Amino acid sequence: MTTSLRSIRITSALATALVTLPIGCGSSGDGNESSADSTGGDLPAGCDLYVEPSDDDQTAVTEAFVDATDGKTLCLAAGEYHLTRQLSLNANGVTVRGAGKDMTILDFTGQETGGNGMLVKGNDVTLTEFTVRNTPGDGIRGDQVENIAFVRVGVIWEAMHALSNGAYGLYPVGSNGVLIQECEVVGARDAGIYVGQSTAIVVEDSIAHDNVAGIEIENSTDAIVRRNESYSNTAGILVFNLPGLDVKDGKRANVYENDVHDNNVTNFADPGTVVGIVPPGVGMLVLAADNNEIHGNTIANNDSVGVAIIAYSEESGLFEPPNDPAYDIWSEGNYIHDNTFMGNGTMPDPLVLLLAGNMTPTPDVIIDGCIAGDKNNDDGSLSNCLGEGSSVTFMNADLCGDAMGATSDPATVACTQPALPTE
């Protein structure tokens, strides 16, 4: 993990340096003009390719993406670009830089083909200072890449809570070395910021609101999720392991110093998806994921529950038996401690209310209590642990009948697990 995170930091530093360079027509970078320079004039400093809005944005931007060979910096001037097809980037070491997240807008309202607004398949790519808007499919997908950085990038759907919106905003999958920094995603009908089947991940200082899931780390390993604000979603932050995927054992998400509040939006996900059954009003939910640490967060005013840890079990009434023999349904070795809880669980969804034994407000932290009876836990490494103050309420729902009945005694989970790295 250390080497990969170092690569992320280098990418971030480079992106930050590039962002500080102005985009304008009055200065020349290397003195060369590019065929992709839509202005016909000198290139702005730090740009190898330069595009401005025109009467044919699709042709101009597509040609610039094709011309963005290894190591190039493609600059997009301020303004709106109206696009009808997916943009694809296949080269390595490319930076795509706009004039600002609120100034360079790639509008896909009229998109006719392609599953994403932008698809990245090159390694060591930095995307920065622009917004993708109204894609019918996903916003920006990084597909099986090494080191991809999203820095001050927005993905927005203007229709509020609409099933017609795309599923994922920022969508790196199958990747190693993911940085999502100071980004904003609004309106995804699945997860705003989604990282799937990936390793060495940092999601920080970003905002996700009015999505179904604000931030989701799924079947991924070694993620740092910190200092984000997730609000007005159906659920604030999800840490999931799901069956049927190539990567089956995601673990070690370190989720800290996030502000997770008011996630009470009615679920508008595609029916039949797993995220589509997440009840509204959930602050954080850990599903079948192991060795995660949740600490130092402020979790407030989520109507159903602050934090819940559950297995992928039939007993919850949510899941069918997974048709995946290699999949481990249990949530084990998670550690919740030193968070601030305020005003959660005051109007719980009926499913959460049932889990909480019809207690209102529901406890701040609910654990389903399901354990793998055939595993050896003599050293306590599989135990889900709680280290909160005396004011924080708790329930072990004993959903699977593995414990001595439901209990709200925090002493039954008063243990610790090893702290996860923060760098």
Side-chain angles (χ1 to χ4, degrees):
M1 181 177 179
T2 303
T3 300
S4 297
L5 287 179
R6 184 181 300 118
S7 299
I8 290 173
R9 287 194 292 272
I10 291 170
T11 305
S12 176
L14 176 61
T16 301
L18 289 169
V19 167
T20 60
L21 296 172
I23 296 179
C25 298
S27 60
S28 176
D30 56 12
N32 297 320
E33 295 184 6
S34 166
S35 60
D37 177 8
S38 67
T39 71
D42 294 339
L43 286 166
C47 303
D48 299 299
L49 304 157
Y50 181 62
V51 182
E52 289 185 325
S54 68
D55 292 336
D56 188 359
D57 294 323
Q58 184 66 53
T59 297
V61 179
T62 297
E63 289 181 353
F65 270 64
V66 170
D67 291 339
T69 54
D70 290 358
K72 298 290 188 182
T73 294
L74 163 60
C75 297
L76 301 170
E80 290 193 10
Y81 299 78
H82 298 280
L83 302 161
T84 58
R85 299 191 301 276
Q86 172 180 285
L87 301 171
S88 297
L89 185 62
N90 298 311
N92 299 322
V94 170
T95 295
V96 178
R97 175 162 60 94
K101 183 165 67 69
D102 298 324
M103 298 180 66
T104 297
I105 309 297
L106 305 181
D107 187 285
F108 289 86
T109 302
Q111 186 174 1
E112 299 170 350
T113 62
N116 314 275
M118 188 181 298
L119 175 63
V120 177
K121 290 192 170 182
N123 298 323
D124 302 307
V125 166
T126 296
L127 309 173
T128 185
E129 301 287 2
F130 63 87
T131 286
V132 165
R133 187 170 68 192
N134 293 342
T135 55
D138 304 318
I140 307 174
R141 174 169 176 151
D143 193 358
Q144 302 185 57
V145 300
E146 291 283 331
N147 300 323
I148 184 167
F150 305 83
V151 180
R152 291 190 284 284
V153 170
V155 177
I156 293 175
W157 285 272
E158 293 177 305
M160 291 294 288
H161 311 154
L163 182 59
S164 59
N165 290 351
Y168 304 107
L170 300 177
Y171 183 24
V173 63
S175 299
N176 177 55
V178 174
L179 173 67
I180 297 175
Q181 183 182 69
E182 297 182 42
C183 293
E184 182 176 12
V185 182
V186 182
R189 65 172 162 83
D190 196 302
I193 296 173
Y194 171 94
V195 184
Q197 302 187 74
S198 297
T199 57
I201 302 146
V202 175
V203 180
E204 62 182 10
D205 302 313
S206 294
I207 299 172
H209 64 91
D210 292 290
N211 310 283
V212 174
I215 298 170
E216 181 176 358
I217 307 298
E218 182 180 288
N219 295 57
S220 293
T221 295
D222 291 331
I224 292 173
V225 182
R226 61 187 174 197
R227 300 190 304 267
N228 303 287
E229 183 180 15
S230 187
Y231 68 96
S232 295
N233 308 286
T234 300
I237 297 177
L238 307 180
V239 181
F240 279 9
N241 265 348
L242 299 182
L245 299 174
D246 292 338
V247 177
K248 301 180 186 301
D249 61 344
K251 51 188 172 294
R252 296 194 298 270
N254 193 356
V255 182
Y256 64 97
E257 297 179 4
N258 299 284
D259 186 4
V260 180
H261 64 93
D262 298 287
N263 291 289
N264 303 314
V265 167
T266 300
N267 195 321
F268 59 99
D270 194 0
T273 62
V274 172
V275 78
I277 61 178
V278 174
V282 173
M284 297 188 189
L285 178 61
V286 177
L287 169 62
D290 301 341
N291 305 118
N292 305 291
E293 185 178 9
I294 297 172
H295 59 111
N297 302 285
T298 298
I299 304 166
N301 302 324
N302 303 288
D303 285 348
S304 287
V305 65
V307 178
I309 297 178
I310 63 173
Y312 194 99
S313 67
E314 298 171 71
E315 284 76 4
S316 67
L318 295 172
F319 310 110
E320 298 292 331
N323 185 23
D324 185 346
Y327 175 67
D328 185 350
I329 70 170
W330 312 107
S331 286
E332 298 165 329
N334 298 292
Y335 186 23
I336 304 171
H337 64 99
D338 298 303
N339 299 286
T340 299
F341 293 88
M342 296 180 292
N344 299 290
T346 56
M347 292 186 291
D349 178 89
L351 185 64
V352 179
L353 184 62
L354 183 64
L355 187 65
N358 293 317
M359 180 188 299
T360 303
T362 61
D364 295 310
V365 179
I366 300 177
I367 297 175
D368 68 359
C370 297
I371 59 174
D374 59 346
K375 293 184 179 180
N376 186 335
N377 190 32
D378 287 348
D379 62 0
S381 61
L382 303 181
S383 299
N384 292 312
C385 297
L386 185 69
E388 300 286 2
S390 58
S391 64
V392 175
T393 54
F394 160 77
M395 172 168 279
N396 179 340
D398 193 27
L399 197 62
C400 298
D402 297 321
M404 301 298 291
T407 178
S408 58
D409 182 1
T412 59
V413 285
C415 54
T416 63
Q417 296 292 354
L420 295 178
T422 57
E423 296 296 338

